[in-house]
Amino acid sequence: MTESKPNSWCGRHDKPREFAKHQPIICYDKPPSALVSKEEYDNKRYEALTGELVETLVVPKREARTWTMQTGDLCRITVHEGPQVGDVNFWNLDNCQERFYSGKTRQLHAAHLKVYDRLWSCLPYLRPMATFVFDTLAQYGIDEDGGALHDVIGTRCDDYTYKLITGQERVGSCHSSLVKAVVEERGMTEQ
Ligand SMILES: [Zn+2]
């Protein structure tokens, strides 16, 4: 049985490594474009809710669907058959090279998104693609497992990682459902 080492152990002569204490430096202070006017977005939400219903789409469990939105449209995502987890991807309708960038969204906002946070596009575009305007689950907080909602940490499950971990072939994952939807409905490819 090996003796456990202190956390700061670096493997050199079994001596604990010492670090000077520094004040944390905030590298990702929010730029003005990440901070929206709450009143403006509350008004946009109100206008959308009192406007015309463009489309209602039911996504069956373990399947995926695509839909189109224009600037200013409001999309309401609701679970109507009980608790469910969902993955979402989105692209610029006119240029599918521009797509949602979860990592940068996490750095500009947080690991768990909340109302008035924005969803940013990939480089070299780096533009807000959508803004959260309401959350019926805002009071959920952090559960006993340390989990919270609306995360930009995890990725969808996929058959490639499944094989990497288990060595087994599998067909059927959130990723394969998403691919099927964009291929069949949008003429896009897995890439
Ligand atoms: Zn999954």
Side-chain angles (χ1 to χ4, degrees), residues 85 87 155-158 170 172-175:
V85 66
D87 302 288
T155 59
R156 57 186 171 269
C157 67
D158 68 89
R170 186 181 72 171
S173 59
C174 295
H175 177 73

Side-chain angles (χ1 to χ4, degrees), residues 71-92:
T71 303
D73 283 355
L74 175 76
C75 173
R76 305 173 79 181
I77 299 175
T78 313
V79 284
H80 69 113
E81 285 183 14
Q84 180 61 271
V85 66
D87 302 288
V88 64
N89 287 327
F90 42 101
W91 292 266
N92 176 345

